[in-house]
Amino acid sequence: MADDAVKLRGQQGATLPRVRSISRAVAILRAFSQAHPHRALNEIVRETGLDAGTTRRILVTLRDEGLVFQDPSTGLYSASAGLLELARAVPESLTLINLVDDRLHQLAKDTQTTIYLSTVDRDVALCQACHNGGQAIEVRWWAVGEIRTFDRGTGPRVLLAHMPEAERERILSGPLKLDPGEEKALRAEIARAREKGFIVKHDEIVEGISAMAVPLLDDHGRLLGAISSGGLTPNYVGAAQVDHLEKMQTAVADMRNAVRGLAI
């Protein structure tokens, strides 16, 4: 399996050296955002950590290639419509599931648990993908296409914890229909999930089965989905829990790289 992983990394170019000038240009383009569409040179320098001379040369090149616009009256830079032309070339097949499904499958094998990808679908959590890692006991709590309320399971709770505050409050005060005690307990639970970056539950589905979930966020901290796992409780306690969490966080970092530029 290790040799296969090395071979795959080689086929995907993971072992090749990176072109530094391109990495710098991409960093400059990523300095523009919906919150900061217009940037002065010194702002871009501060955002990217590049020196002013290098930043200006790259900006001028990007401007001449039609990917960056410079306002002649203010000198401010912004992303140009040329990027929209590139965006139109992105295949429709590059959906969230297609971009991360292979990594989900590998995570299931690495952890020997059942791995789920879930997303927010209006007032409920929707299971988008499910992979069994090959363990003797497969957790079949959630099938692809099924929905769950946000107070059931680790994935739905993580989605609730990391969605925009206004949306979270709307769901807590309305669709869930919780009594005051249940709402208070759920609020405390999702607050801990936001603080720690993950959630673990034992025996919620059936005795002896535990689950863990972490959020999948984009580079701007926006929620794309939740990655959750289910398996035998010994995988989720003590040192095994630490190892399991590290594997999930590593997988999520890989997925975040894979989904860069995905429209949400």
Side-chain angles (χ1 to χ4, degrees), residues 41-82:
L41 175 62
N42 64 334
E43 292 178 313
I44 299 172
V45 168
R46 185 170 61 251
E47 185 75 15
T48 61
L50 301 173
D51 66 79
T54 297
T55 303
R56 187 172 185 278
R57 287 195 299 273
I58 294 175
L59 280 167
V60 168
T61 302
L62 291 172
R63 182 196 63 192
D64 292 347
E65 292 295 333
L67 302 181
V68 164
F69 174 76
Q70 185 179 20
D71 190 322
S73 61
T74 65
L76 295 178
Y77 296 92
S78 64
S80 176

Side-chain angles (χ1 to χ4, degrees), residues 105-165:
H105 189 242
Q106 185 60 50
L107 179 60
K109 290 182 178 180
D110 292 343
T111 60
Q112 286 294 287
T113 62
T114 302
I115 298 295
Y116 302 92
L117 165 66
S118 55
T119 59
V120 176
D121 186 9
R122 291 167 296 203
D123 295 339
V124 293
L126 172 67
C127 180
Q128 297 274 15
C130 175
H131 290 289
N132 177 35
Q135 76 276 29
I137 298 178
E138 180 180 358
V139 179
R140 298 183 179 181
W141 177 73
W142 205 5
V144 174
E146 287 187 346
I147 60 174
R148 293 284 183 266
T149 55
F150 291 107
D151 59 334
R152 296 185 60 202
T154 56
R157 284 180 175 88
V158 160
L159 292 173
L160 181 64
H162 291 273
M163 66 176 58
E165 182 179 2

